[in-house]
Amino acid sequence: SWKNYPELEAFLIANREEYLRHSALNYTIQQKQYNNRLTERLLELAAKHGYVFDEEAFSFVTVRDRIRCYYKSYVQSSKKRGIIIGYAARKAGLLSEDDLEKSAGMVGRIVVPTLN
């Protein structure tokens, strides 16, 4: 659970909105690049705080998939509360093609929060 790693959970929370914006792009090169950069930054942050991922159990792809699952759980929880976000919003027709094109043209930013 990410809750056991407060700096990493804070990182995921700080980047949630941007991740969900990219998830609405659904398998575009922008989404893939953002997800890879987000995973790289999370691994760098983990190392900075002394967290070590067992490389046999947690390859880069495995960590990236765990990040995706973290956000997917958030989306599903939100959906149960009647809030549709990310790719689900695109599927539901809540995002126009203009919205998606504008979003695709924006560079994804990654935030590294500081914990007090």
Side-chain angles (χ1 to χ4, degrees):
S1 172
W2 293 106
K3 289 191 184 304
N4 296 327
Y5 310 94
E7 298 87 355
L8 304 185
E9 184 179 41
F11 174 83
L12 292 173
I13 291 168
N15 289 287
R16 181 169 48 214
E17 188 174 324
E18 191 70 15
Y19 181 92
L20 294 173
R21 181 176 74 80
H22 278 82
S23 77
L25 299 175
N26 195 32
Y27 302 112
T28 60
I29 190 71
Q30 294 94 333
Q31 181 192 23
K32 183 176 182 178
Q33 289 172 344
Y34 180 80
N35 292 351
N36 285 338
R37 285 190 308 124
L38 188 71
T39 303
E40 288 168 3
R41 293 294 299 273
L42 181 126
L43 291 171
E44 290 168 5
L45 184 63
K48 177 182 172 186
H49 289 282
Y51 301 130
V52 179
F53 289 93
D54 176 352
E55 291 185 16
E56 288 186 29
F58 290 96
S59 67
F60 181 89
V61 171
T62 306
V63 173
R64 189 181 63 208
D65 287 347
R66 294 289 172 101
I67 292 169
R68 181 186 53 78
C69 289
Y70 173 82
Y71 289 122
K72 183 178 178 181
S73 294
Y74 177 80
V75 168
Q76 290 171 339
S77 173
S78 296
K79 190 174 180 180
K80 288 178 185 174
R81 292 179 283 136
I83 302 167
I84 301 172
I85 52 180
Y87 179 65
R90 180 180 180 171
K91 276 181 62 177
L94 300 175
L95 299 173
S96 70
E97 285 301 316
D98 285 344
D99 292 334
L100 294 170
E101 284 184 34
K102 181 180 175 187
S103 184
M106 295 170 58
V107 175
R109 61 184 178 86
I110 296 175
V111 178
V112 180
T114 55
L115 293 180
N116 296 333

